[in-house]
């Protein structure tokens, strides 16, 4: 069979603007090009601003993980001015960050990724009594399944699928053996997830002043001073979300996964991982973080992170050559006009740079963090991962997590770990306050200095580097998680993690490449999507839009 190309541009159910071009032969993806099609220029906006502004401005990089950008920016400034923040500020920053992780993980699994695995249209065929029985058997929470089914039927009869518009329901790549009752359970929990997201965001808003774009985690500590009433509200909501993740999200994952065993066999990517670590312990040492840092470059062996080994390249990116081969601490950003045609652009096809660690591409994200923590021997992570592997029939084989389905499972397990950790963090803060510790902010001088913040957003490793002279930011650089994952080729032709993960994916329906979309969504790319299909042999091209009013033209 002749090779064909399919182009997804833009990809929906993500944040931002992303273009995926696939070469397909014999129903498998044989090559891939991933293009970030959005230039933000936030690094340029930082120049000449007061260093304190970076915390507020950097959060505008992303509407989904602004907290992480704010915290990483603040950490860079803290380091530039040699600030040691108070212990209570550490806990409060952890809590705000954890609330955002919970919000983002729930949002990503149910609203962004689940519709690649769940055919909501089949839920109409479910028997409600059998659905309750299946939920009990699967150990997942119940719901008013009859009311949900009735509501869904009204949407279908009205010809308006509302929030379910744009999915490829009916695609042959959906598991044929998955019972309609499991689809109905997932739809009911999809709707509950909307409420759970808001509960998690409320926790961040209580401490951050508002959400998104919090106001309180400024250089030097925090401006949030907890009261008994606010601590009650935080703890109540965290317990509610933790219980829901434990009793709904995890059982749902384990109930759906066995219907897609083939998804443990593709989407491996580069098989190399990076995590900077997240959630500070009292020592404030990166190595002591509750999710520790590490690099996995060979097999399942973890090594320490060396920031000096990170370089960014621009061989395939819309930047001037002078921006390439630089560590982010001294990086630069000089954009050029984009041309989405590699023959006319000299091989350039993305706004994303290509970060490499000691010359090799690394995957970042929830799976990376959980693998590093597993290999570092974090007890609760080992317990969660080993339990999930046993449930999936892969006991003692953590390597199966290096796949499209494993990427999903790993991040969902992390949601439970974070939920549990946040309960501990609230109780630690309460104990501190009862012990008389009332310090939340450390004053400082802001003349000049350089600092690098290395932290984690829900989507992965996040780095901000700032250089301050005479009270002004002279230079500012970021490497965001998706820059690692969607990075384009370097001059040696080595693909980035997502491009590599797409190679070998099944692609039986060129107009609806659902398996490839699962792999793309498993990374939770932060960038936005449509799909073209081009026949190299005939030159025919089809463009498929996957937006709210999806159609084919």
């Amino acid at each position: 069979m002749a090779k064909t190309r399919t182009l997804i541009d833009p990809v929906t159910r993500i944040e931002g603007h992303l273009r995926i071009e696939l070469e397909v032969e014999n129903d498998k993806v044989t090559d891939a090009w991933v293009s970030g099609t959005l230039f933000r220029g936030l690094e340029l906006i930082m120049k000449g601003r007061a260093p304190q502004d970076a915390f507020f401005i950097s959060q505008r990089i992303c509407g989904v993980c602004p907290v992480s950008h704010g915290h990483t920016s603040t950490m860079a400034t803290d380091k530039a001015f040699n600030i040691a923040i108070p212990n209570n500020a550490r806990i409060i920053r952890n809590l705000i960050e954890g609330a955002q992780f919970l919000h983002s993980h729930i949002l990503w699994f149910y609203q962004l990724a689940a519709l690649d695995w769940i055919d909501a249209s089949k839920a109409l065929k479910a028997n409600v009594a059998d659905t309750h029985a299946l939920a009990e058997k699967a150990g997942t929470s119940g719901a008013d399944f009859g009311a949900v089914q009735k509501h869904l039927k009204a949407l279908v009869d009205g010809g308006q699928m509302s929030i379910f518009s744009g999915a490829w329901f009916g695609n042959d790549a959906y598991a044929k053996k998955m019972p309609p009752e499991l689809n109905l359970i997932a739809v009911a929990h999809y709707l509950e997830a909307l409420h759970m997201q808001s509960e998690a965001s409320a926790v961040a808003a209580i401490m951050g002043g508002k959400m998104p774009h919090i106001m309180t985690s400024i250089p030097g500590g925090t401006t949030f001073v907890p009261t008994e009433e606010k601590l009650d509200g935080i703890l109540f909501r965290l317990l509610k979300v933790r219980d829901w993740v434990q009793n709904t999200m995890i059982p749902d994952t384990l109930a759906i996964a066995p219907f897609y065993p083939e998804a443990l066999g593709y989407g491996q990517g580069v098989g190399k991982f990076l995590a900077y670590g997240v959630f500070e312990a009292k020592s404030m040492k990166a190595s002591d973080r509750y999710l520790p840092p590490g690099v996995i470059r060979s097999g399942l062996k973890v090594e320490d992170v060396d920031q000096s080994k990170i370089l960014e390249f621009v061989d395939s990116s819309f930047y001037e050559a002078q921006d390439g081969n630089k560590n982010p601490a001294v990086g630069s950003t000089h954009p050029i006009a984009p041309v989405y045609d590699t023959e006319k652009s000299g091989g350039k096809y993305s706004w994303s740079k290509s970060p490499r660690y000691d010359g090799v591409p690394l995957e970042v994200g929830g799976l990376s963090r959980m693998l590093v923590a597993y290999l570092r021997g974090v007890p609760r992570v080992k317990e969660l991962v080993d339990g999930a592997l046993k449930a999936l029939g892969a006991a003692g084989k953590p390597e199966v997590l290096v796949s499209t389905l494993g990427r999903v499972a790993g991040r969902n397990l992390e949601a439970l770990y974070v939920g549990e950790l946040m309960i501990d963090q609230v109780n630690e803060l309460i104990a501190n306050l009862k012990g008389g510790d009332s310090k939340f902010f450390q004053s400082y001088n802001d003349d000049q200095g350089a600092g690098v913040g290395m932290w984690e957003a829900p989507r992965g490793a996040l780095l901000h580097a700032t250089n301050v002279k005479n009270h002004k930011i002279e230079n500012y650089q970021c490497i965001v998680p998706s820059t690692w994952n969607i990075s384009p080729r370097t001059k040696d032709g080595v693909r980035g993690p997502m491009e590599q993960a797409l190679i070998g994916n099944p692609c039986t329906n060129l107009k609806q490449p659902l398996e490839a979309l699962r792999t793309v969504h498993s990374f939770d790319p932060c960038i936005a999507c449509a799909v073209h299909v081009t026949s190299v042999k005939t030159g025919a091209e089809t463009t498929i839009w996957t937006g709210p009013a999806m159609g084919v033209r």
Side-chain angles (χ1 to χ4, degrees):
M1 179 181 289
K3 291 182 178 180
T4 58
R5 285 199 178 192
T6 178
L7 184 65
I8 309 176
D9 181 15
V11 180
T12 56
R13 287 188 275 127
I14 66 168
E15 167 71 15
H17 307 282
L18 182 66
R19 180 180 190 267
I20 305 292
E21 187 168 356
L22 306 173
E23 186 176 86
V24 179
E25 185 175 20
N26 296 325
D27 295 336
K28 282 191 178 296
V29 176
T30 54
D31 208 344
W33 296 262
V34 175
S35 305
T37 61
L38 177 68
F39 174 68
R40 299 296 300 272
L42 267 290
E43 293 151 320
L44 300 179
I45 293 173
M46 297 289 191
K47 290 185 176 181
R49 303 296 297 251
Q52 293 81 2
D53 288 353
F55 163 69
F56 299 99
I57 296 173
S58 66
Q59 293 186 64
R60 272 66 186 176
I61 291 174
C62 179
V64 177
C65 49
V67 168
S68 307
H69 283 286
H71 281 160
T72 310
S73 175
T74 296
M75 291 169 63
T77 307
D78 287 341
K79 289 184 177 179
F81 300 148
N82 294 313
I83 306 169
I85 65 170
N87 189 42
N88 287 335
R90 169 190 69 86
I91 299 172
I92 290 170
R93 287 187 188 178
N94 279 350
L95 283 166
I96 300 176
E97 189 71 54
Q100 181 194 236
F101 265 60
L102 291 168
H103 167 269
S104 187
H105 285 22
I106 294 170
L107 164 70
W108 163 75
F109 178 57
Y110 283 97
Q111 276 69 51
L112 303 184
L115 295 182
D116 297 337
W117 308 90
I118 294 296
D119 187 340
S121 66
K122 292 182 178 177
L124 296 176
K125 301 176 182 177
N127 178 284
V128 173
D130 290 347
T131 304
H132 284 285
L134 180 59
E136 184 175 352
K137 181 180 179 182
T140 193
S141 59
D144 190 344
F145 297 121
V148 171
Q149 189 181 52
K150 185 178 180 180
H151 180 63
L152 187 59
K153 185 176 186 305
L155 292 177
V156 172
D157 291 345
Q160 170 53 270
M161 289 295 285
S162 184
I163 56 178
F164 298 113
S165 298
W168 289 332
F169 299 144
N171 189 298
D172 287 341
Y174 285 110
K176 292 179 175 60
K177 293 183 179 179
M178 184 182 292
E181 288 75 17
L182 185 51
N183 286 280
L184 180 55
I185 290 170
V187 170
H189 293 163
Y190 176 108
L191 299 173
E192 286 183 6
L194 297 170
H195 298 289
M196 289 301 134
Q197 288 178 44
S198 66
E199 293 286 16
S201 273
V203 171
I206 290 171
M207 292 181 284
K210 67 187 185 69
M211 183 68 184
H213 306 144
I214 61 169
M215 308 293 285
T216 56
S217 297
I218 60 175
T222 178
T223 62
F224 173 70
V225 178
T227 63
E228 187 174 314
E229 180 182 12
K230 288 185 176 178
L231 286 170
D232 279 347
I234 291 166
L235 185 56
F236 167 76
R237 288 177 171 84
L238 286 174
L239 286 168
K240 185 176 181 180
V241 174
R242 189 275 314 268
D243 290 350
W244 191 82
V245 170
Q246 184 175 40
N247 300 320
T248 303
M249 188 169 173
I250 298 299
D252 283 357
T253 305
L254 296 178
I256 295 167
F259 291 97
Y260 292 96
E262 71 281 4
L264 289 171
Y266 64 82
Q268 290 86 352
V270 295
K272 299 175 174 58
F273 302 90
L274 167 68
Y276 294 148
V278 66
F279 305 121
E280 301 280 18
K282 191 173 184 179
S283 70
M284 293 294 286
K285 294 180 180 177
S287 58
D288 291 341
R289 288 174 176 171
Y290 292 101
L291 283 169
V295 175
I296 302 172
R297 289 194 284 178
S298 177
L300 292 177
K301 298 179 181 177
V302 64
E303 57 189 272
D304 293 339
V305 178
D306 182 351
Q307 189 260 331
S308 68
K309 292 183 177 179
I310 299 172
L311 294 177
E312 287 191 294
F313 299 89
V314 297
D315 309 298
S316 301
S317 311
F318 300 126
Y319 299 96
E320 294 180 2
Q322 62 177 298
D323 297 336
N325 198 24
K326 287 184 175 179
N327 183 273
V330 294
S332 60
T333 302
H334 298 88
I336 62 175
V339 177
Y340 294 99
D341 183 324
T342 54
E343 292 184 2
K344 296 179 180 177
S345 68
K348 294 180 179 292
Y349 58 95
S350 180
W351 280 112
S352 175
K353 296 180 182 179
S354 301
R356 297 290 186 263
Y357 184 91
D358 206 15
V360 299
L362 300 176
E363 177 179 335
V364 302
L367 176 61
S368 299
R369 287 188 294 266
M370 291 298 277
L371 286 175
V372 168
Y374 184 87
L375 296 175
R376 293 285 194 195
V378 176
R380 182 54 174 152
V381 170
K382 286 187 65 66
E383 184 181 9
L384 288 171
V385 171
D386 286 339
L389 289 173
K390 183 178 180 181
L392 294 174
K397 299 178 180 177
E399 62 272 17
V400 303
L401 294 175
V402 185
S403 62
T404 295
L405 182 56
R407 200 170 285 116
V408 176
R411 187 165 170 181
N412 287 357
L413 292 172
E414 186 187 57
L416 179 55
Y417 177 78
V418 172
E420 294 172 346
L421 177 62
M422 290 307 106
I423 305 301
D424 294 341
Q425 292 287 283
V426 176
N427 289 326
E428 185 178 351
L429 180 58
I430 292 172
N432 284 355
L433 296 172
K434 286 182 176 178
D437 185 353
S438 59
K439 188 170 183 178
F440 298 90
F441 180 77
Q442 175 63 51
S443 59
Y444 60 94
N445 297 315
D446 68 346
D447 186 25
Q448 59 186 14
V452 177
M454 300 171 72
W455 192 238
E456 294 277 332
R459 294 181 174 95
L462 177 60
L463 182 151
H464 284 222
T466 187
N467 192 343
V468 180
K469 288 187 178 178
N470 301 320
H471 308 288
K472 300 293 183 184
I473 296 173
E474 184 178 75
N475 195 30
Y476 202 97
Q477 289 291 309
C478 309
I479 302 182
V480 306
S482 292
T483 308
W484 285 97
N485 288 336
I486 73 163
S487 63
R489 290 160 169 76
T490 43
K491 64 181 179 182
D492 53 8
V494 175
R495 305 177 186 87
M498 187 184 294
E499 289 181 339
Q500 189 61 43
L502 286 163
I503 307 296
N505 270 225
C507 187
T508 55
N509 185 337
L510 288 172
K511 292 185 177 180
Q512 295 183 350
L514 184 58
E515 300 96 332
L517 195 60
R518 283 178 189 142
T519 296
V520 171
H521 282 144
S522 74
F523 284 91
D524 191 14
C526 184
I527 316 145
C529 186
V531 182
H532 308 267
V533 180
T534 306
S535 167
V536 174
K537 185 176 181 180
T538 65
E541 178 177 306
T542 303
T543 300
I544 303 168
W545 294 93
T546 58
M550 184 186 74
V552 178
R553 71 179 189 181

